[in-house]
Amino acid sequence: TLTVLSPNNTNATVVFDGSLSSDVENDPLQYSWIESISGPFAAGVLATNVFNVGQHTVHLVVSDGMAASTNNITFEIITPGQAVANLVSLVDDAEIERKNKHPILASLHAAVASFDRGNFQSGANQLGAFQNKVLAQVSPSDPAIADAFIRAAQAIIDSLSGSEAGPSASRTVNV
């Protein structure tokens, strides 16, 4: 399932792109975007919609006036706290020395608490501290797992800080 991070703990904007659809006779195409719960929300090759936190399925119906085809995508909007909780699970399951695991988990738990309170800057700072601890304590013995942890934390930071697309970021999904 595709995961989209909510920049505000409530919802996220998702942009859908149906431009890969084609017709063998090159007839003009009509596009309808339908969300399973709320119904139709857009028409056209590109569609934008705001979705609340939770799982969603969107159907793209493409028609040339004679025949129609449908493609579906399921995705989940999660909060930054949920994203960090997923990272906590990865760290918990990793074979890291206990003396190293505890301090890096403490940074992640602090980040979850900050994000859940809506304090995104503090949460991002805690993720930065996590990255530094991983670099110092995990990287010397297991550089591959350290790199994976650092990248996962950075993806969360980027989605909130504007280095990827900004706090009001949208995610484009090709359907």
Side-chain angles (χ1 to χ4, degrees), residues 5 83-84 86-87 90 108 127 130-131 145-159:
L5 191 65
V84 175
N86 292 342
L87 185 51
L90 292 175
L108 290 178
L127 286 177
F130 162 79
Q131 289 174 311
I145 196 78
D147 185 59
F149 291 163
I150 290 169
R151 285 176 187 251
Q154 192 62 48
I156 298 167
I157 293 167
D158 288 349
S159 70

Side-chain angles (χ1 to χ4, degrees), residues 5 78-90 107-112 115 123 127 156:
L5 191 65
I78 64 170
T79 66
Q82 289 171 305
V84 175
N86 292 342
L87 185 51
V88 166
S89 293
L90 292 175
S107 292
L108 290 178
H109 289 297
V112 169
F115 286 133
L127 286 177
I156 298 167

Side-chain angles (χ1 to χ4, degrees), residues 84-98 100-109 130 134 138 145-146 148-150 152-153:
V84 175
N86 292 342
L87 185 51
V88 166
S89 293
L90 292 175
V91 171
D92 241 357
D93 293 343
E95 292 187 23
I96 301 171
E97 289 183 47
R98 187 172 182 272
N100 292 336
K101 192 178 278 193
H102 181 72
I104 62 177
L105 283 173
S107 292
L108 290 178
H109 289 297
F130 162 79
V134 167
V138 178
I145 196 78
F149 291 163
I150 290 169

